Amino acid sequence: MGYMNTATDPAGRHRWLTDEEQRVWRAYLHATYLLEDHLDRQLQRDAGMPHIYYGLLVGLAEAPRRRLRMTELAMKAKITRSRLSHAIARLEKNGWVRREDCPSDKRGQFAVLTDEGAEVLRRTAPGHVAAVRQALFERLTPEQQKTLGEIMEIVAEGLQPNEAGADLPWLR
Amino acid sequence: MGYMNTATDPAGRHRWLTDEEQRVWRAYLHATYLLEDHLDRQLQRDAGMPHIYYGLLVGLAEAPRRRLRMTELAMKAKITRSRLSHAIARLEKNGWVRREDCPSDKRGQFAVLTDEGAEVLRRTAPGHVAAVRQALFERLTPEQQKTLGEIMEIVAEGLQPNEAGADLPWLR
DNA sequence: GGCATCTCCTTGAAACTTGAACAAGTCGGG
DNA sequence: CCCGACTTGTTCAAGTTTCAAGGAGATGCC
């Protein structure tokens, strides 16, 4: 009992994970926890925000006029609109982001990266990239990197809610 | 600017990620977000608790007398003691876990899995395992599974705070 | 136009996490 | 025995996330 067991498929009963699968799964959980935790702390310390907020600024920085509609940004970051509202409120309070009304749709709002926000990014991006590089890429062979990419694309594809037709509430 | 750029190492300046590294990194972020989200919802729906709380019950179920000292459990789950205190309080309210004083150390507390807790696990584990299997293992070749395990072990090892000597504050 | 319906985003409350601070207990000298 | 240093686990406050609900504007159809 517990997470899973060693047995495979005893004629109709539950299929647990094999020992090997279990090893892989636990390694996955362990590593992804540690990495997320590591990056969250790194960014909290150096940029004063959690990883996902940083990702929002990056999303804006990459957008045409440093701006994106709330829903677009939520989709890009794969979070709910609600969560984004709260997050942007916080970033706005920090002065990294500003809200602007959408002229063509009065319901709409743009989240706009401010100069200050861009500056924070400029200042903290190198450290963040270094952290990612050091925690991940420097430790893997090119082979492993390639396989990791393939695996992650497969997994993401399998979980992708939308799939040409099944429009998703970006989310939930 | 932003997350990273395509340039490599222009004589002393910041090393960004190559295009390929960037692809891998974004795929990683995307997939791990989706998977964690997926499992969290699956467990919230079927077991009424988030993934990490489920992991705590599993940890207890695997322990000798279904019990573990708070600090041990925190280590096993790789979370802070503070977070564990809150979590156990909640699980206790649900009746899945009970606290017991440690006889040998009056500061100590055991978290003990109750029969109810064990029952919840028994009832929900198959669904959870199925979710993991379906989202991950069924989509990967044996080769990929093997490589994934290797990669995750490497990454975890690199982030492991302790390393024979550097005792860690379980955590932080 | 009138009206049902959908979309955009926000809000509020509850749940969860974090970090610092803390009471209580243990431990190892002196 | 006593005291300083450390450990154990909790608590508080602040921050974040979730979920359900809702206001306001757009849309389409009659």
Side-chain angles (χ1 to χ4, degrees):
Chain A
M1 133 189 11
Y3 240 137
M4 37 204 77
N5 263 333
T6 157
T8 46
D9 196 354
R13 296 264 15 92
H14 309 305
R15 277 184 82 203
W16 298 97
L17 297 187
T18 65
D19 286 352
E20 183 50 23
E21 285 170 333
Q22 194 167 152
R23 258 187 13 85
V24 172
W25 177 236
R26 299 209 174 195
Y28 172 90
L29 286 180
H30 189 187
T32 53
Y33 274 11
L34 288 180
L35 183 48
E36 178 57 16
D37 194 66
H38 181 67
L39 295 181
D40 247 356
R41 283 171 201 294
Q42 184 266 317
L43 282 172
Q44 190 68 55
R45 176 166 48 75
D46 299 348
M49 63 189 136
H51 192 187
I52 200 152
Y53 286 30
Y54 180 87
L56 295 177
L57 297 192
V58 171
L60 293 178
E62 291 174 342
R65 297 175 54 219
R66 275 183 180 175
R67 74 193 53 211
L68 239 31
R69 287 286 295 269
M70 293 295 278
T71 296
E72 291 179 284
L73 184 51
M75 281 190 282
K76 190 158 180 165
K78 291 173 281 293
I79 62 178
T80 60
R81 293 211 224 65
S82 171
R83 187 176 176 182
L84 181 62
S85 267
H86 291 297
I88 292 295
R90 195 270 221 188
L91 292 173
E92 200 169 21
K93 204 174 299 181
N94 281 279
W96 314 148
V97 169
R98 162 172 39 91
R99 279 186 229 243
E100 266 183 35
D101 292 343
C102 174
S104 60
D105 185 338
K106 285 179 189 160
R107 297 167 303 180
Q109 288 276 101
F110 281 104
V112 186
L113 185 67
T114 63
D115 288 347
E116 285 187 66
E119 172 54 26
V120 170
L121 227 39
R122 193 174 310 116
R123 198 172 61 238
T124 59
H128 179 58
V129 172
V132 171
R133 176 180 285 298
Q134 172 189 324
L136 191 65
F137 292 105
E138 285 182 1
R139 304 185 178 280
L140 302 181
T141 67
E143 286 305 298
Q144 290 172 322
Q145 293 182 20
K146 179 159 166 292
T147 304
L148 180 60
E150 292 167 359
I151 290 171
M152 291 303 164
E153 274 162 17
I154 291 170
V155 171
E157 205 223 324
L159 292 169
Q160 207 75 278
N162 64 340
E163 185 85 35
D167 215 309
L168 248 285
W170 356 238
L171 243 144
R172 204 131 1 259
Chain B
M1 135 191 1
Y3 240 139
M4 36 204 79
N5 263 334
T6 156
T8 46
D9 195 354
R13 296 262 18 90
H14 309 305
R15 278 185 81 204
W16 298 98
L17 297 187
T18 65
D19 287 352
E20 182 51 22
E21 286 170 334
Q22 194 168 151
R23 260 190 8 87
V24 172
W25 178 236
R26 298 210 173 193
Y28 172 90
L29 285 181
H30 189 186
T32 54
Y33 274 11
L34 288 179
L35 184 48
E36 178 56 17
D37 193 66
H38 181 65
L39 295 181
D40 248 355
R41 283 173 200 292
Q42 184 266 318
L43 282 172
Q44 192 66 57
R45 176 167 48 76
D46 299 347
M49 62 188 137
H51 192 186
I52 199 149
Y53 285 32
Y54 180 87
L56 295 177
L57 297 191
V58 172
L60 292 178
E62 291 175 341
R65 297 176 53 219
R66 274 183 179 176
R67 74 193 52 211
L68 240 30
R69 286 286 295 270
M70 294 296 278
T71 296
E72 291 179 282
L73 184 51
M75 282 191 282
K76 190 158 180 166
K78 290 175 282 292
I79 62 179
T80 61
R81 293 210 227 52
S82 171
R83 188 176 177 182
L84 181 63
S85 267
H86 292 297
I88 293 296
R90 195 271 219 186
L91 292 173
E92 200 168 22
K93 204 175 299 179
N94 282 278
W96 314 147
V97 169
R98 161 171 40 91
R99 278 187 229 244
E100 266 183 35
D101 291 343
C102 173
S104 60
D105 186 337
K106 284 178 189 163
R107 296 167 304 178
Q109 289 274 99
F110 281 104
V112 186
L113 185 67
T114 63
D115 288 348
E116 285 187 67
E119 172 54 25
V120 170
L121 227 38
R122 193 174 310 116
R123 196 171 63 239
T124 58
H128 179 58
V129 172
V132 171
R133 175 180 286 297
Q134 172 189 324
L136 191 64
F137 292 105
E138 284 182 1
R139 303 185 178 279
L140 302 181
T141 67
E143 287 304 298
Q144 291 172 322
Q145 294 182 20
K146 180 159 167 291
T147 304
L148 179 60
E150 291 166 359
I151 291 171
M152 291 303 164
E153 274 162 17
I154 291 171
V155 171
E157 205 222 325
L159 293 168
Q160 207 73 279
N162 64 341
E163 186 85 35
D167 214 309
L168 249 285
W170 322 134
L171 233 152
R172 207 125 16 251

